Amino acid sequence: MEKIGVLTSGGDAPGMNPAVRSVVRTAIYHDLEVVGIKRGYAGLIENDFIEMKRNSVADIIHRGGTKLLTARSEEFKSKSGREKAFKNMQAAGIDGLVVIGGDGSLKGARAINNELDIPTIGIPGTIDNDLACTDYTLGFDTAMNTILDSLNKIRDTATSHERTFVIECMGRDSGYLTLMAGLAGGAEFILIPEIDFTLEEVNKKIVSGFEKGKLHSLILIAEGVEKPFEHLSKYNGSPGMALGEVIREETGLETRVSVLGHLQRGGSPTATDRVIASRMGAKAVELLIDGQRNKMVNYLQHSIGYCEIDDALKDEHKIDMDIYELARILSL
Ligand code: F6P
């Protein structure tokens, strides 16, 4: 192995920059050349490559987003798109690739491994923490702390006005980010797609909370919750907005909604994200040097290791019911 490529793909996540820095500097340490590919798989197809030197990754360890830019490429899903990418990589002399991203990005990495002669290693990077075979995906801790910061601020104003607040969090189909932020933030109710609930239960609990003397009600809802709202004609894809309306109509309580949106994806990576990103980046390069392919670097029980990309994509990261139950008990 002489020259490796590195790209970030899909939704950005805080921690991608420290991971890129670690890939580049570990590779240079092992006398490898490094090529940065801009805008993920789109850049592979469009031949948008830059040479990465030691100082190309200076001053990025503390920055959110990704210096390499990112995109979701439809063209790469087609065989012809991947062939273009392969030709560009061959012409550039890239003989190993590191892909940093979520499940869509890992599917792309798997396709490269299966169809092309370029060993590719994945690093899990998504705020959703929804991949199997790893306890952690880069960006999760920063996003959780961002939600927590918002929740603390909303708590202040919710208490002053004795209001109910619905706060909608990201996570795509997964409720993991919402659950952990809800436990850490002391939310009264955590609503996630993995756990069934009825709107009647939610209304009942809010009303009884105020009757018990609570000064506010904070409800965290994951963007992936759909089922309870599907029958509502006014449902427009935001479960938070829909829930706010239902609570207002059914209970008459003064209710506000905050959809946190993309602010959850930005910000300087936390120490946890920087440490794990640095360790994962180095591991990815070592795996390539060892002749591995089709693997995803993982983080299990505080150790860095690896698994088959296939296994990481097979299943979703499961919700820990004990954590859900604990959050429920503590919100009495
Ligand atoms: O997968 C990361 C994520 O932030 C999800 O939580 C969210 O559903 C999605 O990306 C949003 O994607 P986009 O930035 O393309 O709107």
Side-chain angles (χ1 to χ4, degrees):
M1 181 132 325
E2 284 173 13
K3 191 189 270 191
I4 66 165
V6 56
L7 63 83
T8 51
S9 156
D12 62 351
M16 283 182 164
N17 273 332
V20 170
R21 171 180 179 268
S22 171
V23 168
V24 171
R25 295 210 170 154
T26 306
I28 291 171
Y29 174 79
H30 289 289
D31 294 324
L32 300 175
E33 286 179 69
V34 193
V35 172
I37 295 132
K38 308 273 283 291
R39 288 174 289 105
Y41 295 117
L44 269 189
I45 293 171
E46 289 152 22
N47 210 6
D48 200 352
F49 299 170
I50 44 168
E51 194 185 357
M52 302 294 277
K53 296 287 185 199
R54 187 206 61 80
N55 64 357
S56 316
V57 289
D59 286 331
I60 64 167
I61 196 165
H62 60 305
R63 294 198 192 282
T66 162
K67 183 170 178 167
L68 288 177
L69 311 182
T70 186
R72 303 186 201 276
S73 167
E74 277 308 307
E75 199 181 349
F76 195 75
K77 290 183 187 157
S78 71
K79 187 115 192 187
S80 62
R82 292 196 291 276
E83 272 160 12
K84 274 192 219 167
F86 183 49
K87 282 194 186 122
N88 290 336
M89 282 194 279
Q90 264 189 325
I94 294 172
D95 44 18
L97 182 66
V98 177
V99 167
I100 306 167
D103 58 350
S105 313
L106 289 167
K107 282 179 189 150
R110 180 173 62 184
I112 296 176
N113 279 299
N114 292 342
E115 296 166 16
L116 313 174
D117 193 22
I118 296 185
T120 299
I121 302 292
I123 293 180
T126 164
I127 64 165
D128 303 340
N129 206 9
D130 59 349
L131 290 165
C133 298
T134 186
D135 291 340
Y136 196 76
T137 63
L138 299 179
F140 173 77
D141 187 62
T142 308
M144 180 172 62
N145 279 291
T146 301
I147 296 173
L148 213 50
D149 184 49
S150 306
L151 200 55
N152 291 342
K153 288 171 178 155
I154 288 171
R155 182 185 282 274
D156 290 344
T157 176
T159 306
S160 311
H161 288 264
E162 297 173 82
R163 277 175 175 162
T164 296
F165 262 86
V166 177
I167 300 128
E168 185 184 298
C169 303
M170 274 188 170
R172 208 179 283 276
D173 305 328
S174 162
Y176 190 78
L177 181 60
T178 306
L179 173 60
M180 300 310 272
L183 175 65
E188 264 73 34
F189 231 122
I190 299 172
L191 305 173
I192 55 178
E194 292 86 346
I195 293 168
D196 287 337
F197 65 91
T198 65
L199 298 172
E200 291 71 37
E201 297 173 56
V202 178
N203 288 333
K204 221 165 125 192
K205 183 161 175 187
I206 299 169
V207 171
S208 84
F210 282 112
E211 282 168 0
K212 275 191 269 180
K214 287 196 180 220
L215 293 178
H216 60 240
S217 200
L218 300 177
I219 303 159
L220 239 59
I221 185 164
E223 65 176 353
V225 172
E226 272 174 12
K227 235 186 355 193
F229 306 108
E230 275 164 352
H231 67 284
L232 300 179
S233 55
K234 278 183 267 175
Y235 177 56
N236 62 0
S238 165
M241 299 300 270
L243 181 62
E245 222 164 291
V246 168
I247 296 170
R248 270 191 294 267
E249 274 169 18
E250 300 294 319
T251 68
L253 289 167
E254 220 187 329
T255 304
R256 297 287 186 269
V257 179
S258 289
V259 177
L260 298 183
H262 285 80
L263 70 83
Q264 295 161 95
R265 284 236 301 260
S268 177
T270 58
T272 296
D273 270 315
R274 295 184 203 191
V275 169
I276 299 179
S278 302
R279 296 177 70 193
M280 283 186 167
K283 184 72 180 178
V285 175
E286 285 157 17
L287 288 174
L288 284 175
I289 293 171
D290 284 351
Q292 296 280 359
R293 57 187 295 139
N294 230 350
K295 303 290 186 290
M296 181 187 84
V297 178
N298 66 3
Y299 183 78
L300 285 174
Q301 296 178 345
H302 304 287
S303 288
I304 299 288
Y306 62 93
C307 65
E308 296 294 329
I309 290 183
D310 244 346
D311 291 335
L313 291 171
K314 244 180 224 158
D315 244 335
E316 283 180 4
H317 195 151
K318 295 277 179 309
I319 290 297
D320 183 337
M321 284 307 293
D322 289 346
I323 292 183
Y324 182 80
E325 195 47 26
L326 177 63
R328 202 183 63 78
I329 293 169
L330 299 183
S331 69
L332 282 178

